[in-house]
Amino acid sequence: MNQVAFPQPLASTPRLVLRNDLIHRRLQMGDRTLWVTKDPIAGDFFYFSEREYTLLSALDGRSPDAIAADYRRHHGNDVLSPDGLVAFLAEVQRSGLLRGTTTTPESEPPAAARSQGGFGGGLMSPLAIRLPGVNPDRLLDFIEPKTRWIFAPLTLWLAVLWMVLGAVIVGLRAETFFLELRQSQAWASAGMMGVVIVVIALTKIVHELAHAVTCRRYGGSCTEIGLMFLVMIPCLYCDVSNAWLQPRRSRRIAVSAAGMFAELWIAATAAVLWSITIDGPLHWTCLSIVVVCSVSTLLFNGNPLMRYDGYYILSDLLRIPNLASESSAAMMRRTKQLLTGIVPADRGKGSEPLLIGYAIASLVYRLVVIGAILFAIHKLAIAYHLQILAWMVTAPMLFGLLRGSWRQVGTLRLSNWERRAMRRGRVAIVNLLVILLLAAGLLIPWPQRIVLPFIAKVGDQQDVYIAQPGSLMSVVAEGTRVKRGDAIASLRNRELDLELESLAAEETTLEQRLDRVASLRSEDPTAAAQIPALREWIAAIKEKIALRKREQAALQVVAPRDGMVFAAASPGESATAAGGDAGWTGSLLDDRNLGCFLTRGTHLCSIGSPDERTVALFASHREIGFIRLGQTVELHRLGAPGARVSGIVTRIDAQPVSQLPHELVVNQLVSVEPNAGSGDQPMEPTYQVEVALSDVDQPLRLRATGSARVHVGYQSLLQRLSRFLADSLRFELNP
């Protein structure tokens, strides 16, 4: 029998004795029997197979060599290799399960922070920062007896039916529901954003209390309740990890699903209230509750790729309690095997492909989530010149990401036996291939596309603007064909009419006075001296009358060219006339806007060919530098998935636009200045790019919106990263 070479930590421990205060429970996971061990001091849980628990129970004071010899005498090396046996005993010692190695709060971080092992802990912990909590026994002693009726079968079935009713209501009014969600102006106000944050905080409190009450109802206990910042939003958290001591799988799943069940019931109630309320604070609050308690709950809490409720439910369904750590270990084993050629003795069972697939999916998803959050934070910070604040927020996320990655790389360390057994030639070849692939991925130029919002316009359109302010008296309908010089609209300016009448009366008075003075000049020498001044005065009045008549003529708007009349884009807000006249909304070609007052420069309509379309893209000052004439563009219409139209860049404006099309704002394709007093002003300097369509057989509907992918050339990932960092690190300290 070979002598086992124990590592220094075990060699320095003469006796291995299991702690007496540990709590052990036996769990039946299908055809597998597992033992769960809880450390009551650290609050951590450990899972062991039958043979591992047999080895754990043998830690009664004998030396490591004696324990190893006894284990091999009874079981051989079919489950644990010598290195695996050494690693197991060392891990038990590091976990604080032996006497003299108890984990204390003073020497180790809290269990809540250590329990996020595997890929999840390092990557996602920056999104959920927990503060130390308190024991909630008194609170649960008060709540639990008063909520037992909720767990009655009839109550649960009625709750399910209520949720179905809420889903049916939203489904029947889906068009209205999504239209209100896209109304960015209603959501952009500071008050509404505050309501959303309060809704998230309160619903998460109910969510966590549902976990705690359910766990207490089924005989478990909630050991801690406290404050957590979920993506910087204050929420509640409850530690119900004691549910894993519950031997019945159905009850463990019930504890995990209780929070989502409570939120979905709240969402159903909010959906009913939303459907029966009119536009107002209550209506919008109910809409936000529906979104927070249904969509966000299912995407985050119900997602098994994140270590929230869905993860624990899937873990129970698959009968793999340590799903994240086991999948991480399986992936690391496979990675080590590919790198070194060593086939591990503990290479897992038939579930290894499932575990590896879960590990890859979880890793990719978490990276995408963190990448999206970081990108959104920095894009918003660049627009508002708050790069320093953005890095202060994202630095903990990046630190957690690097810490988790370093822990995973650390699991690839080789033992002495593995170093002797590895194929060094294969290791060199694999490492060389990995380096070449990384270099290729970072340095090879890849096609680069930028995504810009677009709106369809008339191909050869000519915009018609109001030259003189006035009340709209008549206007042609949209779609009317006109010729150059035809009347399009007629306006009336009462102040201008009154001024003309006053000037005409003044002219008449002056002319009469001139006649009298002229008749008296032979008798009164002073009268003759007044004649030149009166004539100059009358000439000035006539010139002023001629000017006002030209202004009055401009109130008759005529077509500048032949073509069809198209309505202008809707304004961001009702245009209110100075002096209290009625405002206007929608299209100025609508009959309901007759009588409204229009200011100088108002876009009345456009005239162009009815069959030709062009597209206007809108690029920020950071994106306009990539765009060149002749670049290809692929258009994806909003609300028409799969429908694509191609085009070519034909013109790039040199000056930024002052106002964005309202359709882009309503569909949340652009960001505008909040509470802008004069329309939809862009949040950052934005330029218009004109695109000529290539697919003439697929005309776009006028003012159709969507996203355009512009092929702007080739750039390596390293260049893109350096540009992003250059934009993000361009701190502007001076106002």
Side-chain angles (χ1 to χ4, degrees), residues 502-512 538 541-542 545:
S502 176
L503 290 173
E506 186 176 0
E507 180 188 13
T508 301
T509 302
L510 290 174
E511 288 180 346
Q512 292 174 352
I538 291 173
I541 293 297
K542 289 181 179 293
I545 289 175

Side-chain angles (χ1 to χ4, degrees), residues 604-617:
L604 175 66
C605 63
S606 300
I607 299 178
S609 173
D611 300 322
E612 295 184 12
R613 293 287 185 274
T614 187
V615 166
L617 312 182

Side-chain angles (χ1 to χ4, degrees), residues 696-709:
V696 294
D697 295 334
Q698 303 181 38
L700 286 173
R701 180 178 55 84
L702 185 64
R703 295 199 299 277
T705 59
S707 59
R709 290 175 172 82

Side-chain angles (χ1 to χ4, degrees), residues 360-503:
I360 295 175
S362 178
L363 175 62
V364 171
Y365 180 80
R366 295 170 194 275
L367 289 175
V368 169
V369 169
I370 285 188
I373 292 176
L374 293 179
F375 179 78
I377 290 175
H378 281 270
K379 186 175 181 179
L380 189 62
I382 291 171
Y384 283 102
H385 309 295
L386 297 173
Q387 289 93 327
I388 294 180
L389 181 62
W391 280 106
M392 291 175 62
V393 173
T394 58
M397 295 185 183
L398 294 176
F399 175 75
L401 178 65
L402 294 175
R403 182 184 62 179
S405 301
W406 180 253
R407 286 179 178 176
Q408 294 304 313
V409 172
T411 61
L412 296 176
R413 288 194 299 266
L414 301 178
S415 63
N416 293 331
W417 173 80
E418 288 173 329
R419 290 193 184 94
R420 293 192 299 268
M422 73 175 180
R423 305 172 187 176
R424 301 187 181 277
R426 175 170 177 165
V427 172
I429 294 174
V430 171
N431 289 336
L432 179 61
L433 290 176
V434 170
I435 293 174
L436 291 177
L437 289 175
L438 289 176
L442 291 174
L443 301 178
I444 293 179
W446 300 89
Q448 184 181 14
R449 292 176 175 83
I450 59 176
V451 180
L452 303 175
F454 79 81
I455 185 169
K457 305 192 302 181
V458 180
D460 54 349
Q461 78 176 34
Q462 186 169 349
D463 296 332
V464 179
Y465 295 92
I466 299 299
Q468 290 298 326
S471 299
L472 184 64
M473 306 307 296
S474 65
V475 67
V476 299
E478 184 175 14
T480 303
R481 290 182 179 269
V482 295
K483 294 184 178 298
R484 182 175 181 178
D486 288 350
I488 297 177
S490 175
L491 286 79
R492 181 180 179 183
N493 190 317
R494 290 179 295 179
E495 294 181 358
L496 183 59
D497 292 342
L498 293 174
E499 186 178 1
L500 276 171
E501 292 178 3
S502 176
L503 290 173

Side-chain angles (χ1 to χ4, degrees), residues 111-146:
R114 295 197 318 273
S115 62
Q116 302 288 333
F119 288 100
L123 295 180
M124 294 306 292
S125 57
L127 302 181
I129 302 175
R130 294 188 177 188
L131 301 181
V134 297
N135 191 309
D137 284 342
R138 290 186 178 180
L139 177 63
L140 294 179
D141 289 341
F142 175 78
I143 296 177
E144 193 273 332
K146 296 177 174 56

Side-chain angles (χ1 to χ4, degrees), residues 144 147-156 210 213-218 254 258:
E144 193 273 332
T147 56
R148 290 178 182 174
W149 60 273
I150 296 177
F151 298 90
L154 178 61
T155 305
L156 296 177
V213 172
T214 306
C215 184
R216 172 65 69 89
R217 179 69 179 86
Y218 291 139

